[in-house]
Amino acid sequence: MHRLFALLLIVATALPAWGQDPPRAGLMWNRSGLPATLPLVVQTMPGRDYVVFLAPPQGGDPVMAGFIQGGTFFRLLVPPGTWAVRFAHGRDWQGEDELFGPATEWIGLDQPLTFEAGVARRQGHLIRLMESDGQVEVASQGPLDICQGLTVTTEIDRRDESDEDREALNLLPALGLQDLRDDFDTFPRSDFNRLPAPGLRRIETELDTRSRVCPLD
C-alpha cells in the first residue's frame, strides 16, 4: 500500500502543471509608478490568449502587464513614456510565473512605442496580431490619437428689481458705515446702514469633455 502511494506521488509530481483559470481581461499590474492615461488597443484572433508586457526600451523588468483574451476587443490605458512592447501567447494558462507553460511563445515589436499627451490630444497605438500557419505575427501597427474637446455652456438668469425684492433681499450691509445716530429715532438703524444692491443674477456653467479618435492628417 505504501509503495502504491509513493508511486502515485512520483507520477503526480512528474506530470506538467495543468491549466488554471485565466485572469480577467485587462490590467494585471502597473509597477511604473505613473498614472495610466494613454490608450493601447490590441486586436487578436480567437484560439489563444496573450499577455502584453511594457518595459523600458533600454532593458529591465516590465513595468506593466495586461491579459488579452484572444478574439475579443482589448484596450489598456498605459503610462506616458517610450516602452518596448512584447507579447507572450499560448492556449493553457498556468499562472503569472509560468504563463502558458513550456508552450509559451513570444513576439515583440521591432521598435519601442511612445505614448504621450498634449493639451487636446492623447497619443496611443493600435496593434493587430494575426495567426498564419500556426505562427503569430504583427499584421500592423500604427498611431491611435484621441482628440479631446471642451464645451462650456453658461446660462445667466437675471432677476428684475422690485420694491418688494429690494426690501426683502437686496438690502445688503454697506461696508465701512457705522450707525452714528443711535440717539435719534428718525433714522432707523437698518435704513441707515444698508444700501440697495443690484438685481440678483444666477450663473450656471456646465463643462462637457468629449473624446474621439482624431482624423487622419
Side-chain angles (χ1 to χ4, degrees):
M1 183 67 181
H2 292 288
R3 292 182 178 178
L4 178 59
F5 178 77
L7 180 60
L8 292 175
L9 182 61
I10 293 174
V11 173
T13 55
L15 290 175
W18 295 107
Q20 302 179 15
D21 290 335
R24 296 179 59 183
L27 176 67
M28 295 175 63
W29 40 262
N30 178 8
R31 300 168 183 164
S32 68
L34 300 172
T37 58
L38 304 168
L40 170 63
V41 175
V42 182
Q43 295 182 352
T44 58
M45 298 181 65
R48 64 180 68 207
D49 296 329
Y50 301 78
V51 179
V52 56
F53 293 96
L54 274 68
Q58 64 273 17
D61 295 333
V63 300
M64 173 174 278
F67 188 83
I68 305 172
Q69 294 179 350
T72 62
F73 176 80
F74 176 81
R75 177 178 179 268
L76 183 69
L77 295 179
V78 307
T82 299
W83 309 108
V85 181
R86 297 183 69 201
F87 297 89
H89 57 87
R91 302 182 189 277
D92 297 313
W93 178 252
Q94 298 183 18
E96 288 192 27
D97 294 332
E98 300 295 331
L99 299 177
F100 302 97
T104 300
E105 299 180 44
W106 291 85
I107 185 172
L109 300 185
D110 295 334
Q111 299 295 327
L113 303 181
T114 297
F115 298 82
E116 58 187 359
V119 176
R121 181 183 292 245
R122 291 181 294 158
Q123 179 181 338
H125 292 273
L126 169 64
I127 302 172
R128 291 186 176 92
L129 301 179
M130 302 293 291
E131 183 176 353
S132 176
D133 297 329
Q135 298 294 321
V136 176
E137 58 185 22
V138 179
S140 64
Q141 179 272 317
L144 177 65
D145 291 356
I146 305 298
C147 290
Q148 300 180 118
L150 179 63
T151 302
V152 180
T153 303
T154 302
E155 294 183 359
I156 301 177
D157 182 16
R158 182 177 181 86
R159 182 174 180 175
D160 295 333
E161 290 184 74
S162 65
D163 293 339
E164 182 180 357
D165 293 336
R166 187 180 298 109
E167 180 179 354
L169 299 173
N170 290 347
L171 292 177
L172 303 178
L175 299 178
L177 294 181
Q178 298 179 354
D179 191 352
L180 303 179
R181 303 189 182 250
D182 291 340
D183 297 334
F184 297 91
D185 297 333
T186 308
F187 298 92
R189 178 186 296 267
S190 60
D191 288 345
F192 186 83
N193 286 345
R194 299 191 178 193
L195 297 177
L200 299 179
R201 292 192 302 174
R202 182 180 62 192
I203 301 178
E204 295 183 356
T205 302
E206 295 183 357
L207 300 180
D208 183 15
T209 302
R210 297 185 179 181
S211 300
R212 57 183 177 85
V213 177
C214 299
L216 297 177
D217 295 332

